[in-house]
Amino acid sequence: ASISVLRLLSAGLVLALLLGRARVRSGLRAPRLVLVGALGLGANYVFYMEGLEHAGAGTSQVLIQTAPLFLILLGILLLDERPRPGEWLGLGVATLGVLLVSWEETRALSGSVLGIVLVLAAALAWSVYAVAHKRLGREHAAGGTMCRIFLLAAVVVAPTVPFAPTRSPDAMQWVGIAFLCVNTLVAYACFAEALRHIRATTAAILATLGPAVTFGLLAVTNRIDQPYVPYEAITTVKVVGSILVVAGVVLAVTRVAASGATEA
């Protein structure tokens, strides 16, 4: 929880310095949606951390991949978006790939019912954040609203920080924490900006690339003599799953692009 607050707080403050006072104030023009987005983002962190404690890493990794499905559902209900046939097909292929990638880590869903519910709640909370930001992007610049969402989300997560002192991180751990802080700003800012230009449905499908990219990077670290990332076997099932994820995303995006070109 401490690292989560640090990530959100540092991202918000850095963004505030980059944007300046006038552009940050622009985020105040839609306080309700900003608050909804902040609550969604903060709840995503809190629910996932708690769910991870009860359900375990493997089960949590599988269940959190339902976030794109929740985003598509909310896009239909709240944004009046209707996924095209190509998007449904691509999403199906990508989802099958995600399940294959995660299968060998879980074998079967395990963990307490509470943990499973919390991770699903985290996935739903993330989709609420994404929908709120999509609606904000229609009329407001992404930078100012994102800054306020970061800072308010840090306030949401802050009560979960333990009061007991923790061991001070070593130098390499500080490097990892610094990377997480930078990644929070870059990843969420890019995602928010992308939502201004593409449909939430398309963004949801692209989000399924996460596991495939993770295993691709893991394959690289497995070949490098380094003590920081534990070795993890890359099996045929995981390779096939990663290929299906990429193929599903490419299929969905190209079908949507082709449909758009035909309509134009």
Side-chain angles (χ1 to χ4, degrees):
S2 302
I3 295 177
S4 297
V5 172
L6 181 60
R7 290 173 61 183
L8 293 166
L9 190 59
S10 62
L13 293 176
V14 170
L15 196 55
L17 290 174
L18 292 175
L19 293 174
R21 182 182 302 178
R23 295 178 64 184
V24 172
R25 281 182 175 177
S26 65
L28 288 171
R29 297 174 185 171
R32 291 183 181 179
L33 278 179
V34 169
L35 181 58
V36 169
L39 288 173
L41 183 58
N44 168 254
Y45 277 87
V46 173
F47 288 148
Y48 188 75
M49 288 186 295
E50 292 299 319
L52 192 61
E53 293 294 325
H54 292 85
T59 300
S60 299
Q61 177 62 26
V62 173
L63 294 176
I64 200 64
Q65 301 307 321
T66 59
L69 299 178
F70 282 125
L71 179 52
I72 289 176
L73 178 61
L74 291 183
I76 293 173
L77 295 176
L78 302 177
L79 301 175
D80 198 28
E81 293 186 356
R82 295 293 183 271
R84 301 181 177 94
E87 288 179 306
W88 282 122
L89 179 60
L91 178 64
V93 174
T95 301
L96 176 60
V98 169
L99 292 176
L100 285 176
V101 166
S102 306
W103 176 254
E104 292 188 332
E105 290 190 15
T106 57
R107 298 291 181 177
L109 289 179
S110 59
S112 69
V113 174
L114 176 60
I116 292 173
V117 170
L118 286 171
V119 176
L120 289 175
L124 177 59
W126 178 85
S127 65
V128 169
Y129 149 74
V131 169
H133 219 305
K134 176 67 175 177
R135 293 181 67 92
L136 284 166
R138 292 174 176 175
E139 299 179 2
H140 305 278
T145 54
M146 192 73 252
C147 174
R148 300 195 65 80
I149 286 176
F150 278 143
L151 296 177
L152 289 172
V155 174
V156 173
V157 181
T160 66
V161 175
F163 289 100
T166 57
R167 182 175 60 86
S168 178
D170 58 30
M172 184 52 64
Q173 288 172 330
W174 275 118
V175 171
I177 292 172
F179 172 79
L180 288 175
C181 292
V182 174
N183 179 69
T184 300
L185 173 60
V186 174
Y188 277 100
C190 289
F191 183 73
E193 185 64 24
L195 282 174
R196 299 183 63 205
H197 302 282
I198 60 176
R199 289 157 27 106
T201 302
T202 305
I205 296 172
L206 290 171
T208 62
L209 280 172
V213 174
T214 298
F215 281 107
L217 293 174
L218 188 60
V220 174
T221 60
N222 281 348
R223 294 180 174 274
I224 300 175
D225 184 17
Q226 48 80 34
Y228 306 111
V229 181
Y231 178 87
E232 183 174 338
I234 305 298
T235 64
T236 302
V237 173
K238 291 178 180 178
V239 172
V240 172
S242 297
I243 292 173
L244 285 175
V245 170
V246 176
V249 171
V250 171
L251 176 63
V253 173
T254 54
R255 287 293 183 88
V256 171
S259 176
T262 302
E263 293 175 2

